[in-house]
Amino acid sequence: MISSTPIPGDDPKFLAALTEAKLPTDDVGEPDRSFFRFERGGRLLGFGGFELYGEDALLRSVVVPQESRGTGAGRTVAEGMLREISNAGGTRAYLLTTTAADFFKHLGFEVIDREDAPSAILRTRQASSICSSAPMLFCAI
């Protein structure tokens, strides 16, 4: 059984996984972010998070530790994050990535022009400064 547990942005294992994967950690401690740890049978699968703006969510910080890669853990974490977003009232998910676009396309995301994203998503630190040149992807939940 897959379990998801809310964690703070400063969770040491989460920060270590982000750092190992060379993903940004600059704003994970700011308010209005939700992060989760995913496990199966007590085994860590990965982490993920989101920022919710009405029905629009920025999916972010999806990371799978090296030892769990290639096992389907990435799909499990990403799908778990979409469920968490939906449970929180989100109906649309956006994300920014420079390395995992193909992975997210297999999950139903499509590349969109940044100007087609909601202004609340574009104003996030992720979109406006941290990942300002990364492609934007979208998925209806």
Side-chain angles (χ1 to χ4, degrees):
M1 175 177 187
I2 306 297
S3 66
S4 64
T5 306
I7 60 169
D10 63 355
D11 179 274
K13 289 184 180 181
F14 173 51
L15 291 174
L18 290 174
T19 300
E20 177 188 336
K22 296 180 176 61
L23 293 174
T25 59
D26 301 0
D27 66 337
V28 295
E30 292 181 9
D32 300 322
R33 284 141 175 79
S34 299
F35 297 104
F36 296 86
R37 173 188 177 100
F38 290 85
E39 295 181 334
R40 178 185 295 130
R43 182 174 165 258
L44 175 64
L45 297 176
F47 302 93
F50 68 89
E51 299 174 36
L52 190 63
Y53 302 93
E55 292 184 3
D56 298 314
L58 178 65
L59 175 61
R60 45 144 332 135
S61 307
V62 174
V63 63
V64 173
Q66 187 65 40
E67 63 271 11
S68 294
R69 293 184 189 153
T71 67
R75 174 180 284 277
T76 299
V77 170
E79 290 173 347
M81 285 308 310
L82 293 176
R83 277 191 303 278
E84 293 294 346
I85 290 169
S86 178
N87 291 342
T91 61
R92 294 173 295 271
Y94 298 83
L95 65 89
L96 300 148
T97 183
T98 57
T99 60
D102 288 340
F103 169 79
F104 284 103
K105 285 180 191 176
H106 282 91
L107 296 177
F109 281 81
E110 60 186 60
V111 176
I112 63 168
D113 291 329
R114 276 181 175 254
E115 58 266 10
D116 292 335
S119 59
I121 298 296
L122 295 174
R123 284 192 304 267
T124 64
R125 278 192 65 199
Q126 285 284 306
S128 65
S129 63
I130 297 172
C131 298
S132 61
S133 63
M136 175 83 62
L137 285 83
F138 163 79
C139 178
I141 301 173

